[in-house]
Amino acid sequence: MLFSSLSFIFIFLPVFLAAYYLTPERYRNVTLLIGSLIFYAIGEPRYIVLFVFSLVLNYLLYLAMDHCRSMTNVKRQGSTIVTSTAAPTIPGSEKTLLALTVVFNVAMLFFFKYFGFVLENVRAATKTTGAEITVLLPLGISFYTFQILSFQIDRYRGEIKEPVSFVEFSTYVAMFPQLIAGPIVRYGEVGDEMKHRRVGLANIEEGLMDFSVGLGLKVLLANQIGTLWTNISEGGGAVSTPVAWLGAYAFSMQLYFDFWGYSVMAIGLAKLMGFYVPENFDIPYESRSVSEFWRRWHMTMGRFFRLYVYFPLGGSHCSLPRTIFNLFVVWALTGFWHGADWNFLIWGLIFFVLISIEKTGLGKWLERTKVLGHVLILVLIPATWMVFAISDLPELASYMKAMVGTAAGAAPGLAMFTRLIKRYWWLLALGVFFCTRFPRDFYRKHKKNLVVKAAVLAIFIFSAIMIQRGSSNPFLYFRF
């Protein structure tokens, strides 16, 4: 079930919110958990049992680690409690249990996301044949796996100090606004609200407005600009260099407004329930270096890899060769996290190379420039998105040749380019405008203004009309 579907907006959400607000405050986590499981079951009925099993097993592992810590750190001698560094008196250790937790969750993600890919490539390398094996990817597994790992590691590090009940843990993981595609929330960001929160009219009004704005970004911008990319990518035959770049910019905008729109909708839905989840985007196309771009794009994913992979490896507080190695690990994992195909690994390694170059000092210099850094981003990022978008490697190679003007049949070809510009120029102009910080900052500053509220209401109504006409399509990040 999509946030940008009429069944969600006019059936599921009103029914859920009515039940949620009528529930006494102390039991609202139960209502939210049940509603989230129903939401997941509607969208992915075949895997709801697996999802619940994962919640139960991970909570039992959390309890085991918690018990192990108490046995390790506290010994009673008479009536005195003494801190001890002795080994625990139960089999295993907290670190072993954490390792088991990580292995289980990563293995689940690997099996459903990468098993078919690995098997296919092993068969190709060994020239063997066999029955085709298709493993259907559970909805949102990439995101909720990271959220579970974040919770378990933070608890191991002592960053989650208060005991967490099963309902609180399960609600944190399964909360439907961010279950399918993030933002990836750390428990510490919502832990207090998980135990005590109130929802007032201000929360509801702000949440509904944010949801409507996100809906507009998705339906009125991402979907419409996406038709330009679809026309170019599915047109067949070689494309000219101008058309290839036009497609790259169209997909760059579509992906941004699609994912940013989902994140804003998730933030608005969370506010309706009294939660404040982190922002996921900070006007990334205004960046002046690749490193800055990734500090602004999908910020909660970048934070996850920094906190749980890059920093534990040593980060940048080590020799340059070791820093480069750490970046290689992070970006190889980032690439494969996005999808089980070679283009995603190539995409991740391209950013590894670009950011490694910037680590020599080029990145800081670019971020101080007023023009050159922006120009570089507006060339590099759309080109890399093509590697992300096209999974067929021969087709990708052909498209990249068209972008640099070396593909056979990719001569100037201005006729098609001119025709597409005449049809889509106003959408592209709107896309460029909404890639700047002005619309976001204006909305944040004036969201209480009646004119702005009326405009947001108009966005909601127009979006609903477009959905009814068949304009709604799945969020791009749902397949990752």
Side-chain angles (χ1 to χ4, degrees):
M1 181 163 38
L2 303 176
F3 291 170
S4 56
S5 67
L6 296 181
S7 59
F8 175 84
I9 296 170
F10 294 110
I11 299 176
F12 177 86
L13 187 59
V15 171
F16 167 78
L17 289 177
Y20 184 78
Y21 295 143
L22 290 173
T23 301
E25 183 182 347
R26 63 183 297 185
Y27 298 115
R28 281 181 177 170
N29 283 342
V30 176
T31 303
L32 177 53
L33 176 58
I34 294 172
S36 297
L37 292 176
I38 293 173
F39 173 85
Y40 191 86
I42 293 172
E44 194 70 283
R46 66 173 66 88
Y47 285 134
I48 183 62
V49 174
L50 177 71
F51 183 50
V52 173
F53 170 76
S54 181
L55 292 175
V56 172
L57 183 58
N58 272 283
Y59 187 72
L60 292 175
L61 287 167
Y62 154 73
L63 291 179
M65 283 191 285
D66 208 43
H67 180 64
C68 191
R69 172 170 295 189
S70 66
M71 295 293 290
T72 302
N73 294 337
V74 178
K75 280 188 175 182
R76 292 187 178 273
Q77 296 180 351
S79 60
T80 305
I81 297 178
V82 180
T83 299
S84 170
T85 58
T89 58
I90 60 174
S93 66
E94 190 179 4
K95 185 176 290 187
T96 302
L97 288 168
L98 177 65
L100 180 63
T101 302
V102 173
V103 168
F104 167 74
N105 286 285
V106 172
M108 289 274 287
L109 180 61
F110 175 85
F111 174 76
F112 285 103
K113 198 164 186 175
Y114 307 108
F115 178 74
F117 171 77
V118 171
L119 182 62
E120 178 185 340
N121 282 274
V122 168
R123 285 175 174 174
T126 58
K127 298 182 179 180
T128 57
T129 59
E132 183 178 350
I133 297 177
T134 302
V135 180
L136 297 176
L137 186 67
L139 198 63
I141 190 171
S142 297
F143 288 90
Y144 72 68
T145 296
F146 272 21
Q147 200 141 301
I148 289 171
L149 289 174
S150 170
F151 174 89
Q152 301 285 30
I153 295 171
D154 284 353
R155 179 60 176 168
Y156 173 78
R157 291 175 174 176
E159 297 178 26
I160 301 174
K161 302 185 184 301
E162 295 293 325
V164 179
S165 71
F166 174 71
V167 171
E168 290 167 347
F169 168 77
S170 299
T171 303
Y172 157 71
V173 175
M175 189 164 55
F176 72 84
Q178 46 77 52
L179 171 63
I180 307 301
I184 301 168
V185 182
R186 299 179 70 193
Y187 187 83
E189 293 171 322
V190 294
D192 290 341
E193 295 159 355
M194 198 63 70
K195 295 182 182 298
H196 306 288
R197 63 185 180 275
R198 292 184 180 276
V199 183
L201 291 178
N203 301 79
I204 296 173
E205 181 184 53
E206 188 174 359
L208 290 173
M209 289 184 67
D210 286 353
F211 179 84
S212 299
V213 169
L215 185 66
L217 290 171
K218 162 62 178 170
V219 176
L220 304 182
L221 282 178
N223 288 3
Q224 308 314 312
I225 295 175
T227 60
L228 171 56
W229 165 243
T230 300
N231 287 341
I232 294 172
S233 63
E234 297 181 355
V239 296
S240 68
T241 298
V243 172
W245 278 99
L246 184 63
Y249 285 112
F251 181 77
S252 299
M253 291 184 195
Q254 180 194 8
L255 184 65
Y256 176 47
F257 295 128
D258 186 280
F259 198 13
W260 184 28
Y262 175 92
S263 298
V264 173
M265 293 167 79
I267 290 169
L269 290 171
K271 287 178 182 177
L272 289 174
M273 291 169 265
F275 292 95
Y276 289 85
V277 301
E279 298 281 347
N280 219 12
F281 292 88
D282 184 20
I283 318 299
Y285 289 125
E286 285 193 354
S287 303
R288 286 176 285 189
S289 72
V290 175
S291 300
E292 183 185 0
F293 177 84
W294 279 104
R295 291 196 296 268
R296 292 166 170 249
W297 177 282
H298 201 348
M299 295 186 291
T300 58
M301 181 204 67
R303 178 181 65 179
F304 180 93
F305 279 109
R306 283 196 307 274
L307 291 177
Y308 306 114
V309 180
Y310 187 62
F311 290 162
L313 287 173
S316 57
H317 298 292
C318 47
S319 65
L320 182 59
R322 180 54 190 262
T323 298
I324 300 301
F325 171 77
N326 297 342
L327 286 171
F328 170 78
V329 173
V330 166
W331 280 102
L333 291 174
T334 300
F336 260 138
W337 177 80
H338 278 86
D341 238 320
W342 289 113
N343 68 303
F344 293 110
L345 179 60
I346 295 169
W347 174 79
L349 294 180
I350 288 172
F351 279 109
F352 155 68
V353 172
L354 293 174
I355 294 176
S356 295
I357 293 171
E358 290 186 351
K359 283 292 182 181
T360 63
L362 178 64
K364 292 183 178 179
W365 179 79
L366 284 172
E367 289 177 22
R368 290 195 297 268
T369 64
K370 292 185 178 180
V371 177
L372 183 59
H374 289 304
V375 172
L376 196 63
I377 286 299
L378 295 178
V379 172
L380 287 176
I381 298 302
T384 59
W385 282 139
M386 292 299 90
V387 181
F388 186 89
I390 304 172
S391 58
D392 182 84
L393 295 186
E395 183 183 342
L396 172 62
S398 176
Y399 199 94
M400 298 306 291
K401 287 179 181 178
M403 291 185 74
V404 298
T406 61
L414 293 178
M416 182 179 179
F417 177 79
T418 303
R419 184 170 69 253
L420 291 172
I421 287 293
K422 285 182 178 179
R423 181 178 177 183
Y424 290 100
W425 69 267
W426 62 276
L427 268 175
L428 294 170
L430 275 176
V432 169
F433 176 68
F434 279 93
C435 281
T436 68
R437 65 179 57 251
F438 177 78
R440 184 201 65 177
D441 292 350
F442 182 86
Y443 169 71
R444 288 180 175 177
K445 184 177 181 181
H446 300 286
K447 64 168 56 178
K448 294 184 179 180
N449 184 285
L450 287 177
V451 175
V452 173
K453 291 179 181 180
V456 171
L457 178 60
I459 289 171
F460 175 81
I461 294 173
F462 192 32
S463 297
I465 293 171
M466 295 297 289
I467 294 170
Q468 193 275 331
R469 291 178 177 176
S471 178
S472 178
N473 61 283
F475 290 90
L476 296 180
Y477 255 77
F478 278 13
R479 67 187 178 98
F480 305 125

